[in-house]
Amino acid sequence: MFEALQDKFQQAFKTLRGRGTLTPETIDETLRDVRMALLEADVNFNVVKALLERVRVRALGGEIGASFTPAQEVVRIVRDELVEILGHDASLLTFSKEYPSVLLIVGLQGSGKTTSSGKLALWLAKRKKRPMLVSTDVYRPAAREQLAVIAKEVGIPCFAGDGIDSPVELALAARKDAADRGHDVLIVDTAGRLHIDEALMQEVAELRTRLRPSEVLLVADAMVGQDAVRSAQEFHERLGTSGVILTKLDGDARGGAALSIRHVTGQPIKFIGVGEKYDALEVFYPDRIVSRILGMGDLLSLIEKAEEAIDKKKALEVHRKLQTDTFSLADFRDQLRQMRSLGPLDQMLGMLPKVGMFRDAGKVHVEEKELVRIEAIINSMTAKERERHEIINGKRRKRIARGSGTSVQQVNQVLKQYVQMRKMMKSMTRGLLGKHLNRFKIPVGSSGL
Ligand code: GDP
Ligand code: MG
């Protein structure tokens, strides 16, 4: 997904690497490349223009500080602005108060309506909903059969409606049946056309009026690029759609539709289809998509995780303690707890580039289950011992081991890790990551990384 765009972005940012300072010229040079990358990916011209203007203003506006390298700063600004363009937060489904909520699925023929209806039903069923499906494509018997087959495969009931040949009658009958059987969601698949035409629009508009759906979801095919944006726009103007399911992003879609729809139509992308299998439906998270597009992977996700999980007040406190050498075993325990909330520790440490400050990061080997034991050991200490580890002599170690159901050796190991961690964290308060965190107004050394 988005490989071509990713390559182009990498290329654009390459120019910036190794530059100590950013001049307006280098920024312009980079943004020219970014612009080309976006246009080649078939992103809407107005979207590109709006995006680059915002990036340029921020990049020139003195936001480039001493903390990140200039290249990283520009990447960060581009990231932020791309996320904004995509609507910032994931947009969730709305359900109505009365059962069943109706989700009306509309779009051009071949865009993936029927497949997405099945996928969505499965997605909802996994989230404790009881969906039912119905096809209102009365023009092609094969279309109704197709939905029935998919429904069977994903294990969701599909309303047959044999003998009914009006789309509205079918949908209304299905809604009644769904209510009778205690289904809370009815997904209504509709007939598509090759092009938007009056008859299609009227039919869907009538379905909309009669069913009062809580969502009118437009299914658009990402492969057709700006045509998907145009159809999204038209459907929205005619019907007032509430969101978009963008399909076929697994193919070699260039990303243009994904990056443009929100800005052009004001409609959020709610889901993306990423394959032909029925579980290949994902909630559209703007920030994750942008990370994928920028391909910055690890360091970016580390920064993001740190941004999310760090308790800033505590961080300040830890920083002070490290500076004044009063970082106790109790603090160590708190830090380990916090690191656990960041995710598997090895993974966290693994994300750090093994250069400079971080060369030693891998040396503190702490396994997830070990954290539990470390906590038990520290819990078995007296408050005084936790404050002043140097008083923990052989006799105390024995007692702590017994109290925590561990061995003296394991207690020794924890004490060693504590000392090592303390040293490492202290050095990091002056290090690269410290600066990174500082950039987000989080005091250095805060995450315990
Ligand atoms: P409809 O005419 O809008 O109902 O479209 P269909 O649901 O029948 O889908 C048309 C084709 O697109 C089918 O071959 C689907 O398997 C395929 N398709 C739908 N969504 C995706 C997707 O996310 N990825 C891929 N690769 N194919 C998809
Ligand atoms: Mg269909």
Side-chain angles (χ1 to χ4, degrees):
M1 197 195 298
F2 305 129
E3 282 85 2
L5 194 53
Q6 210 183 82
D7 286 350
K8 291 270 159 50
F9 267 115
Q10 299 286 329
Q11 212 62 41
F13 293 130
K14 218 177 215 161
T15 338
L16 285 175
R17 290 212 181 105
R19 302 266 167 120
T21 51
L22 271 193
T23 61
E25 289 76 38
T26 40
I27 292 175
D28 280 341
E29 194 186 326
T30 306
L31 294 189
R32 245 195 325 270
D33 292 345
V34 170
R35 183 169 175 277
M36 276 309 292
L38 291 168
L39 289 176
E40 275 175 37
D42 198 24
V43 178
N44 178 282
F45 178 74
N46 291 321
V47 174
V48 177
K49 206 165 143 225
L51 175 78
L52 290 191
E53 262 164 27
R54 279 152 70 163
V55 172
R56 191 161 188 280
V57 167
R58 282 182 63 187
L60 288 173
E63 211 181 291
I64 312 287
S67 38
F68 275 135
T69 69
Q72 286 168 327
E73 283 290 356
V74 175
V75 169
R76 233 178 49 77
I77 295 171
V78 171
R79 175 196 71 167
D80 288 356
E81 294 300 334
L82 276 173
V83 171
E84 272 325 302
I85 287 250
L86 289 176
H88 207 278
D89 295 314
S91 181
L92 303 173
L93 289 177
T94 314
F95 298 102
S96 58
K97 281 204 200 77
E98 312 95 64
Y99 284 175
S101 298
V102 175
L103 312 181
L104 189 60
I105 311 295
V106 303
L108 295 179
Q109 193 169 317
S111 57
K113 286 181 301 304
T114 305
T115 316
S116 298
S117 297
K119 286 177 176 178
L120 194 56
L122 180 64
W123 188 89
L124 287 167
K126 282 185 185 163
R127 282 155 186 83
K128 308 240 178 303
K129 293 278 181 193
R130 296 195 63 226
M132 180 188 245
L133 286 156
V134 63
S135 166
T136 59
D137 191 342
V138 294
Y139 311 99
R140 296 182 306 142
R144 279 164 80 175
E145 182 56 28
Q146 184 196 354
L147 186 68
V149 169
I150 293 175
K152 203 166 172 194
E153 239 168 281
V154 295
I156 305 290
C158 184
F159 183 74
D162 295 330
I164 310 176
D165 57 6
S166 125
V168 171
E169 294 311 317
L170 254 173
L172 289 175
R175 185 169 69 178
K176 186 174 180 308
D177 191 54
D180 290 347
R181 294 169 192 269
H183 290 283
D184 50 8
V185 183
L186 177 69
I187 299 173
V188 181
D189 183 21
T190 61
R193 298 283 196 285
L194 287 174
H195 303 284
I196 293 177
D197 64 21
E198 226 14 69
L200 167 73
M201 282 299 178
Q202 264 175 24
E203 178 177 307
V204 184
E206 196 190 350
L207 279 170
R208 192 204 157 117
T209 314
R210 298 291 295 277
L211 291 169
R212 276 177 288 108
S214 63
E215 293 275 355
V216 181
L217 297 171
L218 174 83
V219 178
D221 176 347
M223 303 279 284
V224 302
Q226 288 309 299
D227 281 341
V229 181
R230 268 186 291 278
S231 71
Q233 178 74 342
E234 274 187 71
F235 270 93
H236 180 51
E237 276 165 10
R238 292 292 302 265
L239 297 167
T241 51
S242 57
V244 177
I245 299 177
L246 194 62
T247 60
K248 307 184 198 177
L249 269 174
D250 51 308
D252 46 33
R254 285 176 295 171
L259 289 178
S260 313
I261 281 183
R262 173 64 195 238
H263 189 80
V264 174
T265 71
Q267 291 301 288
I269 298 174
K270 297 206 171 187
F271 292 94
I272 52 177
V274 292
E276 295 195 49
K277 291 210 184 116
Y278 301 126
D279 59 358
L281 184 80
E282 295 177 7
V283 173
F284 184 76
Y285 292 105
D287 51 345
R288 291 187 201 170
I289 290 288
V290 169
S291 293
R292 273 193 215 175
I293 292 174
L294 294 180
M296 246 108 31
D298 291 355
L299 193 57
L300 203 60
S301 47
L302 179 65
I303 291 169
E304 281 164 1
K305 279 189 177 178
E307 275 178 299
E308 280 164 21
I310 287 160
D311 178 334
K312 296 180 191 179
K313 244 196 216 144
K314 247 194 205 157
L316 225 130
E317 184 62 15
V318 167
H319 179 49
R320 191 187 59 73
K321 284 182 170 171
L322 280 167
Q323 293 295 305
T324 55
D325 261 335
T326 50
F327 183 78
S328 70
L329 274 156
D331 299 322
F332 177 56
R333 182 185 54 190
D334 288 348
Q335 283 297 297
L336 289 177
R337 276 187 196 147
Q338 199 172 29
M339 288 174 95
R340 256 158 87 190
S341 74
L342 284 173
L345 203 58
D346 281 355
Q347 206 182 313
M348 287 297 295
L349 293 174
M351 284 184 200
L352 297 170
K354 294 280 175 288
V355 291
M357 243 53 240
F358 304 125
R359 258 192 320 256
D360 292 339
K363 284 190 193 156
V364 182
H365 276 303
V366 190
E367 298 240 342
E368 198 73 351
K369 54 179 182 289
E370 230 183 290
L371 291 176
V372 179
R373 192 168 58 220
I374 293 174
E375 219 181 300
I377 289 173
I378 298 178
N379 285 343
S380 291
M381 296 174 183
T382 65
K384 210 165 169 188
E385 286 165 346
R386 273 183 226 130
E387 286 311 309
R388 299 179 49 211
H389 72 283
E390 60 280 0
I391 65 168
I392 307 177
N393 56 20
K395 203 170 135 199
R396 286 174 189 263
R397 285 175 200 223
K398 250 186 225 157
R399 194 207 74 238
I400 294 165
R402 245 194 338 266
S404 57
T406 58
S407 67
V408 171
Q409 213 175 6
Q410 283 169 324
V411 174
N412 288 342
Q413 202 187 347
V414 168
L415 288 170
K416 211 171 112 197
Q417 277 169 332
Y418 159 66
V419 172
Q420 232 173 34
M421 174 76 90
R422 194 165 130 151
K423 221 166 75 194
M424 189 180 92
M425 284 170 67
K426 208 176 163 191
S427 76
M428 279 188 179
T429 60
R430 296 183 299 265
L432 185 64
L433 185 67
K435 282 185 190 167
H436 277 303
L437 296 174
N438 203 22
R439 177 64 193 75
F440 296 102
K441 301 192 179 55
I442 299 163
V444 285
S446 53
S447 69
L449 293 166

